[in-house]
Amino acid sequence: MSDSTYFAQRASEARDAAIKAKGMASFRAHMGMAQEYERRARGFEARHAEKVVLD
């Protein structure tokens, strides 16, 4: 499995987890992960964790 395939799969899983989230903070966290995985699937470098904002 290529890196881009792996990250695309993880993005899909994170979006599914966001949809099932019980609260807004969890939703945002999972969507943030999905966006980061999508960036990586497109070949971009990872962003730093300090950019993640949780309520």
Side-chain angles (χ1 to χ4, degrees), residues 7-53:
F7 289 128
Q9 179 179 344
R10 294 291 298 171
S12 177
E13 292 168 359
R15 280 191 303 277
D16 289 345
I19 291 168
K20 296 173 185 172
K22 301 279 187 214
M24 188 54 76
S26 295
F27 174 83
R28 287 183 184 144
H30 286 293
M31 286 305 288
M33 288 185 282
Q35 291 171 343
E36 181 60 25
Y37 283 130
E38 288 166 351
R39 280 179 44 78
R40 293 180 189 198
R42 292 190 307 267
F44 290 97
E45 293 294 322
R47 289 187 175 175
H48 296 287
E50 71 250 10
K51 302 253 182 198
V52 176
V53 177

